[in-house]
Amino acid sequence: MRKSQSSISRLLFERMEIVLMPRFGSGIKFSVYPLLLILILLAWLAVTVYAVFIASKNIDYEIVKADNKVMKTKFAMIAEELSRNRKYIEMSQKTDEQMRQMLGMKGGKHVNRPFEGSEEINFKEMLAKEAKDIDEEQINQYLKDTTELAQARLASFQEIAWFYANQKNISDSTPSIKPATDAVITSGFGYRLSPFGSFIASFHKGLDFAGKPNSRIRVTADGVVRHAGWAQGYGQAVLVDHGFGYSTLYGHLADIKVKAGDVVKRGQFIANMGTTGRSTGVHLHYEVWKDGTPVNPRSYF
């Protein structure tokens, strides 16, 4: 054991001769302790490792810095697009007002709702700040308000669409044309003397159109046929339910072209003019009912 320690001590502390011999000229000779060489080597190794560590940290920093710049640029582009889209949403309010005006529609729950709560944000200036100086609450409020504005505008347009569809259905279901274009009105709506020779006044619930035999009769609004066939006093008749409280009746027909349950459209050919039932000649008896009460058909064409 002692012999081994002595050998290590001699190896570390005895001078060793080092000779550097160039190809030409005289050589260089010097002596040095092995321990010193080891220490120098260790120091060089430590410096090298430290330098590599510092260099890698600088590289990581530059990479992160570059990534941050790219992310800021992307965020700025997103923010700019968001600001532009919000302006479009705010501009759509004018369209909302114009549509309601054209449709004669009153203001609804969502119409022209004032937008309050957040100011327009200059994202370019905000993102140029340090992360600690960026007001996250302000951004979140801006995004929340923009979302609420978009939802309110969507709800308003849905309200307009519903109103338009409903109004269109009402318009399509309201009698608005003459049932017999090539005929003349021979008896009006209201009280009249009986056409069968009696001097007793009776209430006439519709209009009588006189025309040529087999003149075409057309339905005056969209609806569903509820009856097509014989009806007491009306002869061959067609009753059409139009919805929204409207119904029409066509009496004294010949050659009915529809049946109960058929869906009909305004202007559709449904029968020929005849003289069936209690009739004094070829004509069409036409009635319009609103909410269960007969009304003057003249108001509907």
Side-chain angles (χ1 to χ4, degrees), residues 1-15 33-35 38:
M1 183 70 177
R2 288 181 179 179
K3 186 176 179 180
S4 174
Q5 289 177 349
S6 177
S7 299
I8 293 172
S9 177
R10 189 167 52 253
L11 179 63
L12 294 175
F13 295 102
E14 286 187 359
R15 285 178 175 274
Y33 291 105
L35 179 60
I38 293 173

Side-chain angles (χ1 to χ4, degrees), residues 178-196 202-212 217 233-234 249-253 273-276 278-288 295-298 301:
K178 288 183 178 180
T181 56
D182 297 328
V184 294
I185 297 175
T186 56
S187 183
F189 177 82
Y191 285 96
R192 67 173 186 174
L193 294 176
S194 171
F196 299 101
S202 62
F203 189 80
H204 191 226
K205 297 177 182 178
L207 297 178
D208 287 342
F209 291 83
K212 297 177 181 180
I217 307 301
Y234 295 100
L249 184 143
Y250 310 80
H252 309 303
L253 305 175
M273 187 179 293
T275 184
T276 58
R278 196 163 183 238
S279 170
T280 57
V282 176
H283 75 288
L284 166 71
H285 175 76
Y286 173 60
E287 296 179 6
V288 176
V295 292
N296 192 343
R298 285 182 181 272
F301 56 78

Side-chain angles (χ1 to χ4, degrees), residues 141-195:
Q141 185 63 43
Y142 179 86
L143 295 174
K144 179 183 176 183
D145 291 340
T146 301
T147 300
E148 289 179 356
L149 179 62
Q151 290 172 340
R153 189 60 54 234
L154 175 62
S156 182
F157 282 130
Q158 288 174 334
E159 191 176 57
I160 291 172
W162 179 89
F163 180 85
Y164 173 75
N166 194 49
Q167 288 296 105
K168 185 176 185 303
N169 288 337
I170 292 175
S171 176
D172 291 343
S173 300
T174 302
S176 60
I177 63 173
K178 288 183 178 180
T181 56
D182 297 328
V184 294
I185 297 175
T186 56
S187 183
F189 177 82
Y191 285 96
R192 67 173 186 174
L193 294 176
S194 171

Side-chain angles (χ1 to χ4, degrees), residues 220-231:
T220 57
D222 295 358
V224 178
V225 177
R226 296 303 182 195
H227 174 81
W230 189 267

